[in-house]
Amino acid sequence: MTDADRDGPMGDKIQKYLAAAGGSAEDRVRLMRLAWDMTISGVVTEVHFVNPHARIFLDVIDESGASRQWLAEGANVIALRLHGWTGDEIKPGDRITVTGAPSRDGSPRIEWREIVLTDGTSLGGGNGFPKERDELFERLEQQ
């Protein structure tokens, strides 16, 4: 974390999560990363329903109007199948919206928590399963 992170729009949340009373350092760092979600939208170019992580490549138009290829990584195939995925949910050419944790190095990668299709269908199965995040928030609130 840099001074820019602490002084930026997420600064108050970062300080709150890092100072969570009684929380382990691991829980505080995980909570901070989960709070740092971002959302991107684009057109799918490739889908890889593989282990160790499912991968979806998509072209995203940035603020300047330029197209940039992003990689969205999800959970492993077994976890996705347990969440009802078949591997046919998303195909090249589909427009999707992805919410999740951005890469820490600034590269165009996102660890997806949720994918929303144009018809409004919400697909979970990312590396930050919502149930796990809710349980973590609840545990820290009780401490």
Side-chain angles (χ1 to χ4, degrees):
M1 179 167 53
T2 67
D3 288 339
D5 295 326
R6 282 190 297 275
D7 296 337
M10 293 292 294
D12 291 341
K13 288 183 180 181
I14 291 170
Q15 291 303 320
K16 176 183 174 188
Y17 298 137
L18 290 176
S24 70
E26 179 182 75
D27 281 350
R28 292 190 314 258
V29 170
R30 285 179 55 217
L31 188 58
M32 180 187 74
R33 288 192 65 217
L34 289 169
W36 210 304
D37 280 356
M38 67 178 295
T39 299
I40 59 171
S41 294
V43 176
V44 175
T45 58
E46 296 178 46
V47 178
H48 300 276
F49 195 64
V50 297
N51 284 320
H53 299 281
R55 291 175 178 85
I56 299 171
F57 292 87
L58 62 157
D59 287 334
V60 176
I61 306 299
D62 66 19
E63 296 90 24
S64 71
S67 178
R68 187 168 192 195
Q69 186 175 67
W70 278 72
L71 165 61
E73 272 194 330
N76 63 67
V77 172
I78 293 170
L80 290 171
R81 288 198 187 280
L82 290 171
H83 275 75
W85 285 66
T86 64
D88 295 323
E89 288 77 8
I90 299 172
K91 295 181 177 30
D94 289 350
R95 176 166 280 287
I96 62 172
T97 299
V98 181
T99 300
S103 68
R104 288 184 263 175
D105 64 7
S107 62
R109 293 187 340 227
I110 186 169
E111 198 174 47
W112 93 65
R113 181 174 48 79
E114 179 185 42
I115 295 175
V116 178
L117 306 179
T118 54
D119 67 2
T121 302
S122 176
L123 305 171
N127 286 331
F129 291 108
K131 181 180 178 191
E132 178 185 332
R133 179 166 84 167
D134 292 344
E135 289 170 356
L136 180 59
F137 274 112
E138 187 175 312
R139 191 169 72 237
L140 286 174
E141 294 271 328
Q142 291 172 357
Q143 294 178 352

